[in-house]
Amino acid sequence: MAVDINKIDEIISSHERSEESLLSILQSFQRELNYVPEEGIKRLSESFGVPESRIFAMATFYKALSLVPRGRHTIKVCMGTACHLKGGGLILEAIERELGVERSGTTKDMRFSLETVNCVGACAMAPVVVVDNEYHGHASPSNVHNILKKYE
Amino acid sequence: MEKIKFIIDGKEVEAVKDQNVLEVAQENGIYIPNLCSNPEVKSSGGSCRVCLVEAHQNGRMRLVTSCNYPVREGLEVKTETPLVKRIRKGILELMLARVPDAEVVVELARENGIEEPRFKKDEGDNYRYKCIACGLCVQVCEEVVGVSAIAMLNRSYEKKPGTPYMKPSEVCIGCGACAYACPTGAISIKDQGDTRKIWGKEFKMHTCSVCGKPYIPEAQIDWIVETTGKDRSFFDKCPDCR
Ligand code: SF4
Ligand code: FES
């Protein structure tokens, strides 16, 4: 996939040139490009004089940053204690089957990225599936399709 | 340099203020097991936790890692109490389960009475199998070599040293300092003929004009010449023939 170098440079130059800006630049990459591209890390390293290995390490440390492009929507299946007991695992399997994608993966059409999380703080609604920022409680393998269909 | 006195295992010793406990213990012939600290690397230590000791001060006791605990007047250190032994044993048991192939860890665990961990052993087939994720290799590459070709990637149980994208590094000079410093021998470095392979990258070795032995990567010579201004001809001969 072609990366937009201009966009990368634009993001870099809109931040102050100090090490403290590194994380927020990586977050901007994630927000605006949907991932942290290799080219972005390279250019950041060159323009800030910070070793590439250090920036790469940062990008691997935070869960909120992804090294591969993410889908337009993010599905989080809760695997916290309550959801786990209420069948969170089965929901996950159902979604994997429905979308033909594995945990931590992204569908080929870039529509969804699938993740698991450990508790979203909505245990009363267990099992919970969160799509983007919308909570879907009392999920079941049979209503997975209905939950997902409105996201394009 | 301010000199101070403190007590270690009942013996009064003299040290420089802020020296670390491990160093002073070693100077006084007291053995404290340790893995991740290297006196040549300032940023090292504090990670493996096998060097822990009891530190008594102002009527309070804390378990501390001796490799980075500064000595002070009035401090009393105990290195072999039942508590220290018990906690160290626990640490080593977990570590052994994590890296059952790392000889030093197997040996240290045995010295502390562990043959087999009660935990499920980790499996793996790469260098990570011996790695205790202490970070010393990364610290050496940054602080001593000044190249920062590797960094600690990921976090928690997935933490490991590596190059960006695990690809051959653009800045690595093939010096092998990381492999040399690694306490568990976790980093693979292979010299074959006039080629060295490390971190997935191949380096052409420079040959000694006298004995004909390949002894240093060309890239390392370039780096030294560039950063120190040393004359290239210095490297014609290996250290043994100079
Ligand atoms: S490779 Fe060796 S030095 Fe590097 S983190 Fe692992 S155990 Fe420590
Ligand atoms: S040697 Fe002190 S923590 Fe590893």
Side-chain angles (χ1 to χ4, degrees):
Chain A
M1 207 177 90
V3 250
D4 187 346
I5 301 285
N6 293 333
K7 185 82 209 166
I8 288 175
D9 287 345
E10 193 183 298
I11 294 174
I12 295 178
S13 58
S14 69
H15 287 79
E16 203 185 313
R17 230 171 135 268
S18 86
E19 277 205 37
E20 281 98 83
S21 312
L22 285 177
L23 185 55
S24 73
I25 296 177
L26 294 180
Q27 285 175 312
S28 301
F29 285 159
Q30 183 68 47
R31 207 167 35 242
E32 301 191 25
L33 307 165
N34 243 348
Y35 76 123
V36 177
E38 185 169 354
E39 200 54 39
I41 293 182
K42 280 226 167 74
R43 291 183 93 86
L44 195 50
S45 156
E46 278 160 23
S47 86
F48 277 47
V50 175
E52 200 184 331
S53 62
R54 211 145 84 217
I55 304 175
F56 180 76
M58 224 172 179
T60 62
F61 185 87
Y62 294 100
K63 272 249 158 115
L65 303 173
S66 165
L67 294 168
V68 289
R70 292 242 198 140
R72 294 189 293 283
H73 305 285
T74 303
I75 307 171
K76 295 186 183 130
V77 183
C78 184
M79 290 289 161
T81 312
C83 290
H84 175 78
L85 291 173
K86 287 274 207 163
L90 297 175
I91 310 278
L92 177 67
E93 279 173 28
I95 297 180
E96 286 180 334
R97 240 177 291 122
E98 168 87 16
L99 300 176
V101 70
E102 300 219 331
R103 186 197 307 215
S104 311
T106 297
T107 56
K108 281 206 187 67
D109 59 4
M110 302 305 284
R111 189 169 154 223
F112 289 113
S113 287
L114 179 59
E115 290 170 9
T116 56
V117 285
N118 295 319
C119 197
V120 292
C123 307
M125 290 158 64
V128 181
V129 173
V130 185
V131 187
D132 297 337
N133 282 317
E134 284 175 15
Y135 286 61
H136 301 271
H138 310 294
S140 72
S142 57
N143 72 6
V144 154
H145 178 80
N146 280 334
I147 293 176
L148 299 181
K149 73 173 181 231
K150 72 168 192 179
Y151 299 96
E152 268 321 309
Chain B
M1 272 195 286
E2 193 187 329
K3 290 266 186 191
I4 58 125
K5 286 199 170 100
F6 76 103
I7 295 171
I8 181 161
D9 287 348
K11 182 173 143 194
E12 191 178 63
V13 297
E14 200 171 76
V16 178
K17 183 167 177 264
D18 287 340
Q19 237 185 317
N20 69 59
V21 171
L22 177 63
E23 199 175 32
V24 183
Q26 283 166 341
E27 283 168 10
N28 287 278
I30 294 167
Y31 168 70
I32 302 174
N34 64 89
L35 288 172
C36 71
S37 122
N38 183 321
E40 304 301 323
V41 189
K42 279 194 212 73
S43 51
S44 73
S47 167
C48 72
R49 307 202 78 79
V50 300
C51 69
L52 89 185
V53 295
E54 283 184 15
H56 299 253
Q57 197 149 28
N58 305 327
R60 269 194 281 169
M61 187 282 282
R62 285 205 301 149
L63 278 177
V64 301
T65 44
S66 62
C67 66
N68 59 1
Y69 196 78
V71 297
R72 293 288 157 78
E73 193 75 52
L75 174 69
E76 177 171 7
V77 172
K78 296 183 182 172
T79 70
E80 282 292 335
T81 66
L83 180 68
V84 167
K85 285 189 197 165
R86 183 161 58 84
I87 304 290
R88 186 168 61 211
K89 193 170 170 182
I91 292 169
L92 284 164
E93 187 173 6
L94 286 165
M95 202 183 271
L96 182 62
R98 183 73 167 144
V99 290
D101 278 356
E103 296 81 356
V104 263
V105 175
V106 173
E107 190 48 43
L108 255 187
R110 189 170 295 146
E111 277 169 26
N112 284 270
I114 305 155
E115 297 289 335
E116 274 295 313
R118 286 166 295 171
F119 313 108
K120 188 169 167 285
K121 283 192 202 167
D122 240 26
E123 282 165 35
D125 53 5
N126 52 21
Y127 69 93
R128 220 204 69 190
Y129 208 10
K130 288 187 179 183
C131 174
I132 57 169
C134 68
L136 183 55
C137 49
V138 168
Q139 290 150 353
V140 167
C141 191
E142 176 175 357
E143 185 189 314
V144 183
V145 187
V147 158
S148 284
I150 49 173
M152 294 308 282
L153 311 179
N154 310 319
R155 61 174 155 163
S156 161
Y157 60 90
E158 291 178 323
K159 188 166 155 187
K160 59 176 179 182
T163 56
Y165 296 91
M166 300 311 267
K167 288 192 204 160
S169 158
E170 283 170 24
V171 293
C172 180
I173 56 172
C175 68
C178 50
Y180 180 74
C182 174
T184 60
I187 297 172
S188 143
I189 175 167
K190 289 206 177 79
D191 285 351
Q192 212 165 46
D194 64 351
T195 311
R196 165 173 295 176
K197 201 168 175 200
I198 186 166
W199 292 112
K201 187 175 175 183
E202 288 193 0
F203 293 89
K204 170 111 178 27
M205 302 292 278
H206 182 76
T207 305
C208 171
S209 63
V210 180
C211 66
K213 209 169 60 192
Y215 80 99
I216 185 175
E218 300 279 5
Q220 187 179 357
I221 299 182
D222 293 344
W223 173 256
I224 297 173
V225 168
E226 195 185 306
T227 52
T228 67
K230 215 180 194 67
D231 200 76
R232 195 169 281 274
S233 62
F234 176 80
F235 297 98
D236 283 351
K237 299 176 194 160
C238 74
D240 293 342
C241 299
R242 259 171 224 156

